[in-house]
Amino acid sequence: MSLTGCSRTDLLNLVAARDSRYNQQMVDDLFLALDNNHKEDLKSLFAISVIDSNENLDAQIDELMEFYKGPKESDEGVRLISTSEHMGPGEDRLEIYNSFTVTAGGIKYHVSMKMIAINEENRDEEGLRMLEFATEEAYESKYFSWHFIDDDIHGVYVKTSPEKRNDVMVVEKRKVKYTPVNRTLTETDFLKYVKNNDSFSGLISTIGEANADWINFGFYYFELSNKLIVVCNVEDEKIKYLYVANEDEELYTLWIPDDMIKVHGSYNAYTFVDRELTEDVFLSFVKTSRDLKELHDKIGPPTVDTSFYSYYQLPDGSFIGCHHAGYKVKEIFIADSEKRLNTIWKYEDK
């Protein structure tokens, strides 16, 4: 296929169409094998590297075929979910992730697939890596998680239980891969450490590795002896702040440095300004101007400044929040450390 003269949009459309074909072909081949009870055909869909390395694959496929009651009657949203692609001479690699729902034998199944469609460096990696089926009861559980959160696990998995898995931690309703660590931890252990040190590597040396992480956003999770969780946010190997959470929500701040503050549910860099502000200062200002720079010239810099919001601390510890775009104030509201409380002014384009 020649791409000469293709616009960027045309090229993206071609790539998306290619990825969808890979995905749909795998789904069709999967259910053709399942509906005809052809174990070897299903096994052949897996990458050679998975077949060679997973000694339990045959037993896993047998369990799936016993569990699945075909033939497939209908499917909902069998479509591409996400891809990961690396391109280079002789190094093209395309991973496809998908999850969807099918009905077979009057039973609703939730299905997840992970496959490598292209791997020019190692063709033995091409094929299914992970295939998972779940019942409705298991899928609707607060503890449900697909296995592909762990890149080291390959094969076939059937989930019928709503119970919590021992390799998954739930923090603020987010599921993360869990590793048990044999130790006794309390909040005091963290408070003693950050009293004199903000080095994250030093913390790990002192108390041991985290039980789980959300590393893309710098979050590390430590399970306490009382089953609550200390959440440690890290940037450039420095501890930014600590708070305590349970499975459903953040409970309270454990530690925050003097140059940070929590406002509107987020932890941000803090600028102290010695002044006393009231709501009337802002309401009076917007009668004649919406210019954010002019507001700063008049009352000084905000306590917290983000891309679209500026916050100014009031004497009672609450905040005036200014929502702005293009240095024009769009809305003024009251907030506390956790949430927005109420709007006191909003721009109306007349």
Side-chain angles (χ1 to χ4, degrees):
M1 175 172 57
S2 174
L3 299 180
T4 304
C6 279
S7 68
R8 183 175 184 278
T9 300
D10 291 336
L11 181 58
L12 290 173
N13 288 337
L14 286 170
V15 170
R18 177 208 63 182
D19 296 350
S20 293
R21 284 196 301 272
Y22 278 124
N23 178 68
Q24 189 61 56
Q25 187 64 57
M26 183 60 77
V27 172
D28 292 344
D29 291 345
L30 166 64
F31 284 97
L32 182 64
L34 277 174
D35 288 340
N36 289 283
N37 202 33
H38 288 168
K39 175 180 176 179
E40 290 306 314
D41 288 350
L42 196 158
K43 185 176 178 179
S44 70
L45 299 178
F46 281 86
I48 292 174
S49 61
V50 175
I51 295 173
D52 290 344
S53 63
N54 185 350
E55 60 184 22
N56 298 316
L57 186 60
D58 282 295
Q60 291 173 344
I61 293 175
D62 289 339
E63 182 185 6
L64 173 60
M65 290 190 141
E66 178 68 24
F67 168 74
Y68 174 78
K69 310 300 180 185
K72 179 168 71 75
E73 299 158 12
S74 64
D75 52 59
E76 304 169 24
V78 177
R79 63 187 185 277
L80 199 61
I81 297 299
S82 66
T83 63
S84 174
E85 184 166 12
H86 169 78
M87 298 182 68
E91 300 178 353
D92 284 4
R93 177 185 172 92
L94 173 65
E95 293 188 26
I96 292 177
Y97 309 85
N98 195 4
S99 60
F100 52 90
T101 304
V102 300
T103 301
I107 301 172
K108 187 175 182 180
Y109 300 94
H110 295 269
V111 184
S112 173
M113 298 190 324
K114 176 182 176 181
M115 63 180 284
I116 296 180
I118 302 171
N119 189 342
E120 291 188 345
E121 278 194 312
N122 186 356
R123 296 297 185 184
D124 287 351
E125 294 285 321
E126 294 179 350
L128 273 179
R129 313 287 300 168
M130 177 74 72
L131 175 63
E132 302 182 73
F133 274 63
T135 61
E136 184 77 355
E137 181 185 21
Y139 185 79
E140 292 299 329
S141 166
K142 68 180 284 187
Y143 297 116
F144 179 80
S145 176
W146 295 118
H147 268 94
F148 68 61
I149 66 172
D150 186 346
D151 288 334
D152 297 328
I153 296 180
H154 306 127
V156 181
Y157 293 87
V158 173
K159 298 182 180 67
T160 59
S161 172
E163 299 301 316
K164 183 178 180 180
R165 281 176 24 203
N166 60 13
D167 62 339
V168 173
M169 171 184 273
V170 181
V171 189
E172 300 176 78
K173 300 181 180 178
R174 172 173 296 278
K175 275 83 91 176
V176 289
K177 180 184 174 183
Y178 171 75
T179 301
V181 180
N182 186 19
R183 64 187 169 200
T184 300
L185 272 185
T186 67
E187 295 176 14
T188 304
D189 295 316
F190 292 88
L191 293 173
K192 283 182 178 179
Y193 178 81
V194 295
K195 184 177 181 180
N196 300 306
N197 201 332
D198 65 357
S199 166
F200 181 64
S201 59
L203 176 67
I204 297 302
S205 298
T206 302
I207 67 173
E209 297 290 337
N211 296 97
D213 60 59
W214 188 15
I215 201 166
N216 290 345
F217 294 90
F219 287 101
Y220 295 84
Y221 306 109
F222 297 84
E223 187 176 46
L224 299 178
S225 301
N226 61 8
K227 298 305 181 182
L228 294 179
I229 301 147
V230 168
V231 182
C232 178
N233 186 250
V234 177
E235 185 177 286
D236 297 329
E237 280 301 308
K238 299 294 185 183
I239 300 170
K240 290 181 65 180
Y241 53 85
L242 302 168
Y243 64 86
V244 176
N246 60 18
E247 291 184 345
D248 297 314
E249 60 186 352
E250 176 181 343
L251 298 177
Y252 48 86
T253 301
L254 183 60
W255 173 83
I256 189 171
D258 292 338
D259 61 353
M260 294 193 72
I261 197 168
K262 188 180 184 186
V263 56
H264 202 170
S266 297
Y267 296 89
N268 296 278
Y270 169 69
T271 300
F272 173 74
V273 183
D274 188 11
R275 63 189 170 196
E276 289 198 7
L277 296 174
T278 65
E279 296 178 25
D280 289 339
V281 170
F282 294 86
L283 293 175
S284 176
F285 175 80
V286 292
K287 289 179 179 179
T288 58
S289 176
R290 294 173 48 228
D291 189 282
L292 190 66
K293 291 181 178 179
E294 187 178 333
L295 176 63
H296 291 173
D297 289 340
K298 181 178 179 65
I299 66 171
T303 307
V304 170
D305 203 16
T306 68
S307 297
F308 300 103
Y309 293 90
S310 295
Y311 298 94
Y312 308 82
Q313 194 166 30
L314 299 178
D316 65 359
S318 64
F319 299 86
I320 292 287
C322 287
H323 179 202
H324 52 81
Y327 291 102
K328 294 295 183 182
V329 178
K330 298 177 61 176
E331 183 181 16
I332 300 176
F333 57 91
I334 306 294
D336 61 16
S337 61
E338 301 298 332
K339 60 186 180 299
R340 174 197 293 244
L341 300 176
N342 60 281
T343 300
I344 61 172
W345 177 87
K346 190 171 184 177
Y347 174 69
E348 295 182 7
D349 190 353
K350 299 178 181 178

